Amino acid sequence: VYAKYKFNAGVIISCTPTSVGAQYPHRPTAYQVPTASVDTAKPGFLLRPYQTEAAQPNTLIWTEGQLLGWYGANIADLTGATGGFFTHEDVINFNMDAPNNIGNFTGDTMFPGFPGTTFSTGNATEEVLTYIEFPTAGMFQLGVNSDDGFRVTAGRAPGDLLGVVLGFFDGGRGASDTTFTVVVDPPGIYPIRLIWENGAGELPGNGANCEFFSVKDGVKTLINDVANGGLKAY
């Protein structure tokens, strides 16, 4: 668009205005996986808890190192896990104080793996791996309510450490929302990874939670809550 502005003194200024739009992360087309390669008969997530004696300082870079085993042996309770992972067919609505509720949703459940083998809940991390189905192309708003930090990425596989960052909070906080908008094109099934951390609180009652949801028309719905219109996770 070309525009001219004439002032009282007779001075004319000409310009071409530039419009700047918001930048949202895109899920690369290459990250889309064939539907046939995903077992859509098995809804849910794989969860890998990790806990150390070493103090978790509430930074995402430390959390990644913790998951890599850099800061000590895993003292999470892995009873019932396979290869360090739990299969979770429900939603991500965890609370260290369950069955008490905190955040946006009720029906809170305990984090798999915690309290750990030392009966503490601090210095803890949960890695969540899944495939999420986005039924249409376009913009989707996702969100995480957490105490403390988290990061959501999309990659070539659910455990891809070099995926595109979709949303994050790096630090300590009480139960709070972070929402983020992503662009999906084409529609389909994409690998997703969520990491969450609890940097403080050695016993239940000191606060630690994580909810993973989408937002549509102002309504929040947990991922994999298909009965209420939530995005499907496999």
Side-chain angles (χ1 to χ4, degrees):
V1 177
Y2 183 80
K4 280 188 176 182
Y5 302 91
K6 184 173 182 179
F7 296 90
N8 290 336
V11 177
I12 297 176
I13 298 177
S14 302
C15 65
T16 302
T18 300
S19 176
V20 179
Q23 298 297 308
Y24 299 111
H26 286 64
R27 284 176 172 77
T29 301
Y31 289 2
Q32 185 186 27
V33 298
T35 302
S37 69
V38 178
D39 191 345
T40 57
K42 293 182 178 179
F45 311 84
L46 289 180
L47 309 176
R48 182 165 72 101
Y50 207 106
Q51 186 178 29
T52 55
E53 296 282 2
Q56 160 66 267
N58 271 330
T59 65
L60 291 171
I61 190 169
W62 201 94
T63 299
E64 292 286 16
Q66 186 179 34
L67 287 165
L68 291 170
W70 291 354
Y71 305 119
N74 190 359
I75 59 171
D77 184 356
L78 299 180
T79 304
T82 301
F85 286 90
F86 291 92
T87 298
H88 183 72
E89 297 182 355
D90 202 355
V91 294
I92 304 301
N93 184 22
F94 299 134
N95 179 11
M96 290 293 193
D97 292 327
N100 296 325
N101 297 306
I102 194 169
N104 303 294
F105 304 93
T106 59
D108 292 18
T109 58
M110 191 65 186
F111 284 90
F114 308 117
T117 57
T118 61
F119 305 104
S120 67
T121 60
N123 308 321
T125 298
E126 196 94 37
E127 181 182 35
V128 179
L129 306 181
T130 193
Y131 293 93
I132 292 181
E133 183 173 357
F134 295 89
T136 62
M139 300 173 71
F140 286 81
Q141 188 173 33
L142 305 180
V144 172
N145 183 287
S146 66
D147 175 347
D148 293 300
F150 81 93
R151 179 163 57 214
V152 176
T153 56
R156 295 182 181 276
D160 187 354
L161 299 183
L162 301 177
V164 175
V165 175
L166 305 180
F168 71 95
F169 178 83
D170 194 358
R173 65 179 179 180
S176 305
D177 279 355
T178 297
T179 58
F180 44 96
T181 301
V182 298
V183 178
V184 176
D185 187 20
I189 298 175
Y190 290 83
I192 299 295
R193 179 178 186 252
L194 161 66
I195 60 171
W196 163 90
E197 68 201 24
N198 179 33
E202 293 302 316
L203 295 172
N206 290 329
N209 79 291
C210 184
E211 301 172 337
F212 189 21
F213 56 90
S214 61
V215 186
K216 184 177 182 180
D217 299 327
V219 177
K220 300 174 184 177
T221 309
L222 290 165
I223 303 295
N224 204 40
D225 183 4
V226 178
N228 289 307
L231 295 172
K232 296 178 180 179
Y234 308 113

